[in-house]
Amino acid sequence: MAGHSKWATTKHKKAVIDAKRGKLFAKLVKNVEVAARLGGGDPAGNPTLYDAIQKAKKSSVPNDNIDRAVKRGSGAEGGGAAYETLMYEAMAPGGVPILIECLTDNRNRSASDVRVAVTRNGGTMADVGSVSRIFQRKGVVVVPKEQEGRAVSEDDLLEATLDAGPEDVADNGETFEVISDPNDVVEVRKAVQAASLDYDSAEVQFVPDYDQEVDADIFQKTMRIIDALEDLDDVQSVFSNVAPNEEAQAALAEED
């Protein structure tokens, strides 16, 4: 998922990616369209559009779909919608916080769909600010550890991006995340490219201040809510700080 819980982004994402490919394509195309509307249709002069296009391409979105989205967003082609970004906050069982980012042309539909997805799966909607206060907006550049036979280390990334002002490099299992101030994400991405390193995505996300370790039952209940939310057309990203404790990790490993 496009979120910041390392336990909810690796194998879990791979297990559902095929079933959700159509929805994923639609969300990535929507991101491209909105980026073109906000900053113009030239990726060279619109870094947000550049990164949205790259993310779509890395997820195998057809070039024709991307090109049409750029044209709709920039006004070169009709049919574009007036999207707005909405944030919702929720709590999973055990008090696990969930932050939900929507990109929608119908806020009433989004609010209703999000509420149903949360409450039907055992969660509750939260007051504004009660969840978002533990998240900070950060630039996040995701870099795979294995690249064309080359193993990338944390030191490699720190050296490559030092002048771009990274705040941290987080180990996410199969990838590293270079965390920065939101205003520095483009410079960090350019530094990664200048070092001849590939990257999976470069965007501004909501990063939690801390991980909340839970048992296997709470972790699985939280993931059911996240799955239901990610299945909604209007939901672009879901962020949580959920992490299985040691016993839960062992239990989850036995299920594989």
Side-chain angles (χ1 to χ4, degrees):
M1 71 181 177
H4 219 88
S5 168
K6 59 176 174 283
W7 295 103
T9 57
T10 53
K11 178 188 57 176
H12 172 77
K13 183 171 183 176
K14 294 174 184 175
V16 300
I17 193 71
D18 289 337
K20 295 187 175 181
R21 185 171 297 274
K23 289 183 180 293
L24 176 67
F25 280 11
K27 293 178 182 185
L28 292 170
V29 165
K30 191 188 294 185
N31 270 342
V32 170
E33 183 176 334
V34 170
R37 176 172 291 112
L38 294 177
D42 180 10
N46 183 349
T48 302
L49 175 61
Y50 176 91
D51 287 320
I53 290 173
Q54 293 306 305
K55 186 175 182 180
K57 287 183 175 181
K58 289 176 185 295
S59 295
S60 301
V61 176
N63 287 332
D64 285 349
N65 296 38
I66 296 172
D67 291 343
R68 286 197 298 271
V70 172
K71 290 177 180 178
R72 287 195 303 270
S74 63
E77 182 178 294
Y83 294 112
E84 62 177 323
T85 299
L86 301 174
M87 301 299 301
Y88 298 99
E89 303 179 34
M91 287 285 185
V96 176
I98 299 176
L99 193 60
I100 306 136
E101 184 176 31
C102 292
L103 194 58
T104 181
D105 58 355
N106 187 326
R107 58 169 51 215
N108 291 332
R109 179 188 65 221
S110 296
S112 175
D113 288 351
V114 166
R115 181 176 297 276
V116 169
V118 170
T119 57
R120 280 188 178 174
N121 289 282
T124 57
M125 300 303 296
D127 294 334
V128 174
S130 61
V131 167
S132 59
R133 63 184 174 83
I134 70 167
F135 290 84
Q136 307 293 328
R137 283 179 63 80
K138 296 290 184 181
V140 180
V141 179
V142 179
V143 180
K145 290 183 178 180
E146 296 295 332
Q147 303 200 10
E148 297 183 355
R150 172 187 177 184
V152 178
S153 70
E154 184 174 336
D155 288 341
D156 291 334
L157 275 182
L158 284 171
E159 182 178 353
T161 60
L162 188 59
D163 291 339
E167 296 179 0
D168 190 21
V169 174
D171 189 334
N172 252 16
E174 297 177 2
T175 62
F176 287 115
E177 291 183 340
V178 186
I179 312 297
S180 70
D181 183 275
N183 295 322
D184 294 334
V185 65
V186 173
E187 292 307 312
V188 171
R189 183 258 293 164
K190 288 180 178 178
V192 168
Q193 290 177 301
S196 300
L197 296 174
D198 192 17
Y199 71 100
D200 286 344
S201 62
E203 58 194 348
V204 175
Q205 298 183 4
F206 287 89
V207 178
D209 293 335
Y210 58 90
D211 287 341
Q212 183 165 330
E213 292 193 352
V214 299
D215 62 27
D217 179 59
I218 295 298
F219 179 75
Q220 290 170 333
K221 288 177 178 177
T222 301
M223 293 312 305
R224 278 199 291 272
I225 295 174
I226 291 173
D227 280 344
L229 287 167
E230 288 186 328
D231 204 37
L232 300 177
D233 292 339
D234 290 341
V235 171
Q236 287 295 107
S237 303
V238 183
F239 304 95
S240 178
N241 67 349
V242 68
N245 60 25
E246 288 188 12
E247 290 184 3
Q249 292 178 42
L252 292 166
E254 289 180 359
E255 294 178 3
D256 296 343

